[in-house]
Amino acid sequence: MADARPFHWEFTPEPVAREVFRIEGGVPLRGNVSISGSKNAALKLFAAATLTGERCRFTNVPEIEDVRVMAETLRDLGVVVDHPQDNVYEIASGDVEWLFVPLEAAAKMRASFILLGPLLARFGRVIISNPGGDRIGRRPVDLHVDAMRSLGAQIDYRNGYYFATAPGRLRGTEIRFPFVSVMSTENAMLAATLAEGQTVIRPAAQEPEVDDLIAFLQRMGADVERTYPDTIEVNGKRRLRGADHEVIADRIEAATFVIAAAVTGGKVTVERAPCDHLGAFVEVVGRTGVDVTCSSDTIEVDGSSLIDPGFRASDIETAPYPGLATDTQSPISVLLTQSNGTSHVHETIFEDRLEWLAELNRMGADARMIDSRHATITGRTPLVGAEVEIGDLRAGASLILAALAAQGTSTIHGAHHVHRGYENIERKFLDLGARIERVAEGTDSTSS
Ligand code: EPZ
């Protein structure tokens, strides 16, 4: 072992730069915005690169904090991660010796748990921190662990860590999940690519990011295929090769900018947008009366009917893909505050993903929790600038949308949450005419 690294109880979280967004609202956004690569695809692609010792090259990688954390976590394992230029990463996992994913990584980014499958399959052992829950839910990883065990791994849990070993090769099998889980599907699929024999995963998540991972694995020479909408079949290989891959566009970032245009009454063209991946979202937004057209990779949004005749209330229910993505629930909720009538919001994926509505109410919204998964939003209520606190990535982006729609100045604490998943978000909004800045906490002025 290279050097003694701290275990669970010696962990002290690194201090994060406490910054705030200061936003002067009420400006209709205008112009063009270009969408970056997908966070939820890039992180898994980096993990897949550890399945081979050969070099892998990724383009259109978003310049976001989560990608930097994943790159750092891989470097700590002994993986060579080069970043020759913006949005380009090269990864070579030749001499990986320290098969330990510490709490530091898990605390910064839950998705580090996606390293379980590929490291176990390729090296036969790994110690990995339990990522724990976050503001949107308990988020257990039992399905991931059960899938690895059914592939023949032995996994013990001690002191907050999973100690996983696979004596000999993992063995292909039928993996039946009790319900759809995106990263459990991806972890099982990654492990199965080097297992002996065939693995069938059902119900397999259908998210576009899963298909992007399948496309990359096929380039690496893996025998993996989606044989039915909810079924993925893998025939394990002894080894895989390096490959190049362009990351798909981020459908959640695209959705965020569509809502920004609508709630400010603006007119925006969203470019490099994955229209094919946004069916349910565009249908919901169109139902409220927002003029939104999506063709190939461009979305035209015209929010000028915000005031007259106004948007219509609309009930929404999140679901696994191709249903309405839970990551678009909070941005759409801001739109519903600007729609006439009462809308019902049903969050079916995460049990605490409506908590953030209390912060939105501080800006004058009329959102009422019925229970942890149901809420009503009654509008149209003019939003006003306020001082609010971000609890998680998507709620953070949604508070920015609310502040852009609000009259007056807002101060939004916890900017670091948003930088985990949005590339250059202030720059992109500034280019659309927004009055937004990011300043160190304590240097801001309170709301008007
Ligand atoms: C992925 O999380 C995304 N994250 C999430 O995006 C996204 O919200 C989610 O899929 C659903 O689309 C990444 O890809 C990095 P799940 P994941 O496993 O895979 C329960 C964002 O904002 N569950 O599909 O962790 C779980 O608690 C993030 O970008 C278990 O009970 O989500 C949840 O209720 C947020 N046991 C449900 O399944 C398990 O072992 C679905 O979660 C695994 C999951």
Side-chain angles (χ1 to χ4, degrees), residues 21 257 397 400 418-419 422-429:
F21 290 111
F257 279 97
I400 292 177
V418 173
H419 290 114
Y422 290 88
E423 179 177 299
N424 289 339
I425 195 165
E426 301 100 82
R427 178 77 266 151
K428 291 187 180 184
F429 277 126

Side-chain angles (χ1 to χ4, degrees), residues 39-40 44 139-143 181-183 327 349 394:
K39 165 181 84 79
N40 291 344
K44 314 342 171 3
R139 308 189 71 178
V141 290
D142 54 327
L143 302 187
S181 157
V182 175
M183 270 207 290
D327 298 344
I349 308 290
R394 305 302 171 186

Side-chain angles (χ1 to χ4, degrees), residues 175-230:
I175 296 175
R176 266 190 184 281
F177 288 123
F179 50 84
V180 171
S181 157
V182 175
M183 270 207 290
S184 308
T185 298
E186 295 169 323
N187 234 333
M189 181 169 72
L190 289 167
T193 57
L194 294 178
E196 194 162 351
Q198 185 183 56
T199 298
V200 179
I201 302 168
R202 234 188 246 122
Q206 301 180 43
E207 271 63 12
E209 296 77 25
V210 177
D211 288 308
D212 199 37
L213 183 58
I214 290 174
F216 175 59
L217 289 170
Q218 289 169 342
R219 287 208 174 92
M220 295 176 81
D223 180 349
V224 52
E225 206 182 337
R226 187 182 289 281
T227 47
Y228 290 96
D230 72 345

Side-chain angles (χ1 to χ4, degrees), residues 190-419:
L190 289 167
T193 57
L194 294 178
E196 194 162 351
Q198 185 183 56
T199 298
V200 179
I201 302 168
R202 234 188 246 122
Q206 301 180 43
E207 271 63 12
E209 296 77 25
V210 177
D211 288 308
D212 199 37
L213 183 58
I214 290 174
F216 175 59
L217 289 170
Q218 289 169 342
R219 287 208 174 92
M220 295 176 81
D223 180 349
V224 52
E225 206 182 337
R226 187 182 289 281
T227 47
Y228 290 96
D230 72 345
T231 304
I232 293 173
E233 292 186 19
V234 188
N235 293 302
K237 295 272 182 85
R238 277 219 164 268
R239 63 183 54 75
L240 300 178
R241 59 175 178 265
D244 296 358
H245 187 77
E246 178 179 346
V247 181
I248 55 171
D250 195 313
R251 62 193 166 110
I252 310 300
E253 184 195 13
T256 306
F257 279 97
V258 168
I259 300 291
V263 296
T264 60
K267 212 165 182 307
V268 169
T269 301
V270 184
E271 296 167 340
R272 294 173 60 94
C275 282
D276 300 351
H277 304 158
L278 286 164
F281 170 78
V282 169
E283 193 272 324
V284 164
V285 173
R287 229 191 296 147
T288 67
V290 176
D291 180 355
V292 55
T293 49
C294 209
S295 60
S296 76
D297 68 351
T298 304
I299 310 177
E300 300 290 349
V301 196
D302 183 347
S304 46
S305 58
L306 167 68
I307 310 296
D308 178 24
F311 301 143
R312 295 183 295 274
S314 179
D315 297 346
I316 64 168
E317 180 173 294
T318 61
Y321 193 88
L324 183 68
T326 169
D327 298 344
T328 65
Q329 175 258 104
S330 45
I332 294 173
S333 295
V334 178
L335 173 65
L336 298 177
T337 67
Q338 300 307 296
S339 304
N340 297 317
T342 297
S343 308
H344 295 79
V345 177
H346 182 195
E347 172 53 57
T348 68
I349 308 290
F350 292 109
E351 66 274 23
D352 298 330
R353 201 163 209 180
L354 295 175
E355 301 283 328
W356 81 286
L357 291 172
E359 287 301 300
L360 189 57
N361 282 349
R362 295 163 58 83
M363 303 180 77
D366 179 2
R368 298 173 200 202
M369 296 276 284
I370 298 166
D371 59 34
S372 71
R373 291 179 181 271
H374 295 86
T376 60
I377 297 179
T378 301
R380 173 173 180 263
T381 53
L383 299 177
V384 289
E387 189 148 5
V388 291
E389 176 80 34
I390 295 174
D392 72 272
L393 167 63
R394 305 302 171 186
S398 304
L399 287 170
I400 292 177
L401 300 182
L404 291 169
Q407 292 307 316
T409 305
S410 297
T411 302
I412 306 180
H413 295 264
H416 60 282
H417 288 285
V418 173
H419 290 114

